[in-house]
Amino acid sequence: MEACSVARIMSLEHFGLKFLPKLLALSPGSLGKFRKVSPPMETETVLKKLPELPQDVLRKVSPPMETETLVRNLPELPQDVLMDIFSLLEIPDLMRAASVSSSWRSAYTSLCSQLEQYKRPQTPCLLYTSESAGENVACLYSLAEKRVYKLTLPDPPIRNRYLIGSSHGWLVTADDKSELHLINPVTGQQIALPSVVTIGYVEPIFGNEGTLIKYELWDQLYDPDLEPEMLSYAPDELRNHVYIRAFIFPDPSTGSYIVVLIHGPGYQLSFARVGDCKWTPLPPGWDYEQCIYMDGLLYASTKSGRMDAFDLTSPNVTRNIIADEIDIYSSEYKGVFYLLQAPWGDLLQVCRKAKLIDAGYEELIVKTNKVLLHKVNMEAEELVEINSLHHNVLFLGRNQSLCLSAEEYPQLKANCVYFTDDEECNWKYKTNPRDIVVLNLEDDSREEIISPLWCSWPSPIWITPSLTVMNLSLCK
């Protein structure tokens, strides 16, 4: 009897794995907040895509049967088997599967409540907005499926925000009052981060009716011989001058996340845990450009090549200089720099070189044309040149930089770099054509990822979808 049950389950799993990718295309709609951008399939087209269905099922399906009827006539799989099958799907496919039938939705819901069973690696997606989609709608382009989905997000409108960081399925956004939020675009969960006024050099100015009318900012120049200057900005302008980049790292102490912020005229560092009421400044340091969290420490690199380390779990965080000046700033290496950990453990520095083309009034075209790769040797305080990524792939932009294996993600192109915009000038030149391409490191050839949307605002960003929902009761 046990052998028969195992055989039955194996056959059901084989059925599900063989046909599920085709069945997902059957959904007449999707979840209210997550819908595919493509016309519904005609029944005849659906049937052509299901040649492997058992004959007894095919005999039940004949035009002009509706898609819903077709799904109802498919063999019903036990929920535990469906969950096993669904655990092999990437999130866009998984959410489409949830809209196929009530039993599939039930299996999806159960899987989401037991995320320890769902460990499917996710291919990064491109998140952007479109005027035609609406103010609160984000578009998600799946590299795995080459399809676009729409996500309805909570207020404030996503089209009015800046996207200053992404990692682990979360975005860091700055709204039109220059306040920061964490948002998971797949689940819709949104969490307010500490107010900008807690950074330390920003003061809100209110009108007679208590309405915020502007911010005053002390421009804390890092040259001690110069006097600080008081500057005033409208609420939606302050973010242009305060936020440089944000990073999101898991926080083992709370099971939540830490957000590290590079900010201000001096490119200083502050951090906050989810649930904190204010930003905590890190020991004085200036000109920070990139951060990475490795082996329980935060590493931050400066524009001059210095590498500092911070233990964020310590009650009194101190700065330790790991490398004083890594020799990187010859004229050959001018560009945007990224810091990331490779799958094999090495710390990599990537230099992205681009050509800037002044196209006239408020238009500046940025075109990436070269990438330089180096392994960071902090003991010797030097860089070791790398000529190829081999079977690996990079994702660079305002997101937390990623290095993935094309063997694990077969939809991606090996020895290539996937780019989105990362020049600060894009915050000023909002109507710029976007620099969103795949760059082949073998011959420096460029390939567009998707047909040009690309006067899109805010600037598109890479994100790795996640179903994680934070339990805020565990955060202080």
Side-chain angles (χ1 to χ4, degrees), residues 344-470:
W344 56 91
D346 286 343
L347 183 62
L348 303 183
Q349 185 185 75
V350 183
C351 175
R352 171 181 179 176
K353 300 183 71 175
K355 180 194 295 186
L356 301 181
I357 304 170
D358 188 349
Y361 178 70
E362 289 197 352
E363 185 170 338
L364 190 67
I365 298 173
V366 179
K367 187 175 180 179
T368 300
N369 54 20
K370 188 71 176 176
V371 170
L372 302 169
L373 305 172
H374 292 87
K375 171 186 171 181
V376 180
N377 186 331
M378 286 190 282
E379 291 184 2
E381 298 192 8
E382 66 180 13
L383 299 177
V384 179
E385 187 174 0
I386 299 173
N387 295 320
S388 173
L389 286 170
H390 303 293
H391 58 271
N392 295 293
V393 179
L394 295 181
F395 282 85
L396 304 178
R398 287 275 148 184
N399 60 292
Q400 209 155 301
S401 304
L402 294 172
C403 183
L404 304 176
S405 169
E407 294 176 348
E408 187 175 354
Y409 298 86
Q411 301 89 346
L412 303 179
K413 298 178 179 180
N415 200 31
C416 287
V417 183
Y418 289 69
F419 286 114
T420 59
D421 283 308
D422 199 17
E423 293 285 345
E424 288 181 43
C425 58
N426 283 318
W427 291 11
K428 178 179 179 182
Y429 300 99
K430 294 184 178 182
T431 59
N432 279 0
R434 300 301 173 197
D435 187 29
I436 303 176
V437 296
V438 182
L439 185 72
N440 188 317
L441 295 183
E442 186 174 349
D443 57 10
D444 291 333
S445 61
R446 293 165 48 100
E447 177 186 341
E448 282 190 348
I449 295 170
I450 181 175
S451 59
L453 358 121
W454 301 131
C455 291
S456 172
W457 176 257
S459 290
I461 193 169
W462 294 115
I463 187 167
T464 304
S466 170
L467 294 172
T468 300
V469 175
M470 275 192 251

Side-chain angles (χ1 to χ4, degrees), residues 93-139:
D93 268 341
L94 180 62
M95 299 192 74
R96 284 167 58 200
S99 65
V100 168
S101 68
S102 59
S103 62
W104 287 28
R105 177 59 186 265
S106 176
Y108 161 80
T109 302
S110 297
L111 186 63
C112 288
S113 66
Q114 304 172 45
L115 286 183
E116 66 277 2
Q117 294 186 28
Y118 184 64
K119 301 184 182 299
R120 172 69 164 87
Q122 302 293 317
T123 305
C125 295
L126 186 67
L127 186 139
Y128 64 96
T129 68
S130 168
E131 184 177 0
S132 61
E135 294 296 297
N136 285 78
V137 175
C139 300

